[in-house]
Amino acid sequence: MKETAILEVKNISKYFPGVQALAGVDLDIRPGEVHAVVGENGAGKSTLMKVLTGVYQRDEGDYYFEGEPVAFSSVHESIKLGISCIYQELTIVPLLDVARNLYLGNLPMKSRFQIDYKKLYSDAQEVLDMLELDISPRTNANELSVAQHQMIEIGRAVSRKSKVIIMDEPTSSLSNKETRVLFNVIQKLKNRGIAVFYISHKLEEITEISDRISVFRDGHKVITVDNTPEVTHEIIIGHMIGRQIENYFNKQACPIGDVVLETKNLSLDGVFNDISFKVHQGEVLGFFGLVGAGRSEVMTSLFGVNRLDSGEVYVEGKKHNFNDTTEAIKAGLALIPEDRRQQGLFMKQNVKFNEMIIKMKDINRGGVIDVKQETAIAEEFKQSLNVKTPTLYKTVGELSGGNQ
């Protein structure tokens, strides 16, 4: 006999101007279960999770928690009920220490106006031990890596004594070692009877950690597999895209040309040392290493974010000394950073603004922006990159993580 669902939604629909994000979705989760939710960018996964947590209000459908119909109008109400979500966009407060980030909005109090700091740091240490994080609860969050921020977000959900935890791409910033720690934490949560919704594009993780899998496509739930070991990656992908495929990656032969970028002995004190490499036209050069090994720092320094202590950079044979990112962009370099929210996007601006911000100088006519040309180029980007948005004027912060 199947255990009664702790959370269940029936016939959930959600509309935005010009698009139906969810259409008649049924989904449930049981205590001590990991229920994976998969689908392509814009399939409706994140929208559903925001409906479950009160970020969005459902337009149609029914919502049950522990067998009782519920309706809440805010995230705060869903948290009080026992539902927590760890979003792709991290909500760490940099100037607060780890303990106060873990218990943000839920600080232990001695009285109405007095924080119980002894209990705060004691409880925080217990959560850090569970997460196997070797950091002090008194460390300021701005001293930590993106991966450590991700683990603190997970710890915050644990600290709330949540009954259902939603994890939206939780390993996007984690190394293999940190992912193993996360899976150990999830197993501990399962042993406590906590239900976990797990959203990810990484099928290897999905099939390892989940008990059930639901596949979404174009706002619909197309199938729920009740026993993960019974399904293959090929079947999951087939349901995600609506057809079976023979080749996962259509890698085509491409002639490798001349060297377009070369570095010699790049060094940044205490971060990386003596880094030299060449990249040829038509070539993909991969950089691999553990979190903290210096991969990202090499790229940001190469792009002019950090000032190199020594070394030489050549673009198409011409030597450059990038003092800032503007000079790197002029030389033909581009950077997609690991933290898109803080470093890559203007989250409160619309799609067109974000797509065109670098090209404004190219469509400037005597100090006036050519709006017609601006819109045409932005629409071309939207189409070529398959950005799922009803309009170019949609705020970027409202898009799914993949579309961002």
Side-chain angles (χ1 to χ4, degrees):
M1 181 178 177
K2 293 181 180 179
E3 189 170 0
T4 304
I6 184 172
L7 183 157
E8 182 178 13
V9 294
K10 296 180 179 179
N11 198 35
I12 292 291
S13 294
K14 180 64 184 176
Y15 305 90
F16 296 109
V19 65
Q20 181 169 9
L22 295 172
V25 171
D26 297 336
L27 197 71
D28 66 73
I29 193 167
R30 303 157 192 157
E33 173 188 48
V34 176
H35 191 151
V37 180
V38 301
E40 291 190 288
N41 293 335
K45 311 181 298 296
S46 295
T47 299
L48 177 61
M49 297 307 142
K50 289 179 178 178
V51 169
L52 295 182
T53 55
V55 176
Y56 296 153
Q57 304 305 303
R58 62 189 184 271
D59 295 318
E60 297 173 5
D62 300 307
Y63 192 140
Y64 301 90
F65 190 79
E66 295 185 324
E68 298 294 326
V70 295
F72 39 76
S73 58
S74 69
V75 174
H76 181 67
E77 291 180 20
S78 70
I79 290 173
K80 285 179 65 177
L81 198 64
I83 304 168
S84 292
C85 185
I86 303 159
Y87 297 106
Q88 293 183 54
E89 291 80 22
L90 304 181
T91 57
I92 297 299
V93 182
L95 297 181
L96 292 182
D97 62 23
V98 169
R100 281 179 284 188
N101 268 287
L102 283 171
Y103 286 88
L104 195 65
N106 188 34
L107 293 169
M109 307 295 290
K110 282 184 177 181
S111 64
R112 185 178 177 184
F113 301 105
Q114 188 177 14
I115 298 171
D116 188 340
Y117 284 104
K118 183 176 181 181
K119 179 172 174 56
L120 170 65
Y121 290 109
S122 174
D123 291 351
Q125 188 61 60
E126 288 184 14
V127 174
L128 294 173
D129 290 342
M130 178 188 180
L131 296 173
E132 300 180 31
L133 277 175
D134 186 21
I135 56 177
S136 167
R138 298 178 184 274
T139 302
N140 264 20
N142 60 7
E143 299 177 28
L144 305 179
S145 67
V146 173
Q148 289 170 321
H149 285 176
Q150 185 88 12
M151 295 300 284
I152 291 172
E153 291 268 7
I154 295 166
R156 185 185 295 162
V158 171
S159 73
R160 290 171 175 162
K161 306 291 191 292
S162 303
K163 298 176 182 178
V164 176
I165 297 178
I166 300 166
M167 298 185 178
D168 193 356
E169 300 286 354
T171 63
S172 58
S173 300
L174 303 185
S175 67
N176 289 339
K177 180 180 178 181
E178 289 162 330
T179 297
R180 301 318 312 172
V181 172
L182 173 63
F183 285 4
N184 290 337
V185 170
I186 291 175
Q187 187 60 54
K188 292 176 184 177
L189 297 176
K190 289 181 61 176
N191 294 341
R192 296 182 183 183
I194 297 172
V196 177
F197 275 121
Y198 192 95
I199 304 173
S200 178
H201 288 92
K202 301 177 181 179
L203 295 185
E204 293 78 9
E205 293 180 5
I206 291 294
T207 51
E208 177 180 352
I209 198 64
S210 70
D211 301 295
R212 286 192 293 160
I213 301 174
S214 289
V215 182
F216 278 61
R217 185 174 72 246
D218 297 330
H220 296 78
K221 189 197 77 173
V222 294
I223 191 173
T224 292
V225 178
D226 285 325
N227 187 14
T228 295
E230 295 178 356
V231 69
T232 64
H233 291 179
E234 289 77 12
I235 292 174
I236 296 172
I237 294 171
H239 285 298
M240 285 171 57
I241 65 175
R243 60 184 174 82
Q244 295 300 316
I245 58 174
E246 296 180 358
N247 297 315
Y248 291 129
F249 303 103
N250 185 23
K251 184 176 180 180
Q252 300 178 347
C254 179
I256 304 301
D258 296 333
V259 173
V260 289
L261 174 66
E262 180 179 5
T263 70
K264 295 181 179 180
N265 311 112
L266 301 187
S267 296
L268 183 63
D269 188 39
V271 183
F272 56 81
N273 184 57
D274 199 25
I275 305 297
S276 302
F277 59 86
K278 296 179 182 179
V279 187
H280 296 75
Q281 185 179 29
E283 177 182 49
V284 176
L285 176 62
F287 283 72
F288 179 79
L290 297 176
V291 172
R295 303 159 304 166
S296 298
E297 290 79 4
V298 168
M299 297 304 151
T300 54
S301 299
L302 179 61
F303 193 63
V305 176
N306 306 315
R307 290 293 301 273
L308 291 162
D309 291 320
S310 61
E312 298 174 352
V313 177
Y314 297 86
V315 180
E316 295 184 322
K318 182 180 179 181
K319 186 176 180 180
H320 289 270
N321 181 24
F322 299 133
N323 294 306
D324 55 39
T325 57
T326 302
E327 294 181 10
I329 292 169
K330 287 180 178 178
L333 274 63
L335 174 69
I336 302 174
E338 62 178 340
D339 187 346
R340 61 172 174 267
R341 186 179 189 184
Q342 298 295 329
Q343 302 170 329
L345 293 171
F346 296 90
M347 300 297 288
K348 294 184 179 181
Q349 296 290 342
N350 62 36
V351 173
K352 184 169 82 165
F353 179 92
N354 274 277
E355 287 185 341
M356 297 301 298
I357 185 65
I358 297 298
K359 291 189 69 65
M360 290 298 185
K361 65 182 185 300
D362 299 329
I363 55 173
N364 187 318
R365 301 291 182 266
V368 179
I369 298 297
D370 185 334
V371 177
K372 185 176 180 180
Q373 184 183 15
E374 177 192 27
T375 303
I377 296 173
E379 183 63 35
E380 183 181 339
F381 282 145
K382 173 185 168 237
Q383 296 294 334
S384 64
L385 294 170
N386 195 27
V387 179
K388 294 186 178 179
T389 175
T391 169
L392 290 171
Y393 300 96
K394 184 84 167 175
T395 302
V396 162
E398 298 179 67
L399 302 182
S400 69
N403 284 297
Q404 288 175 9

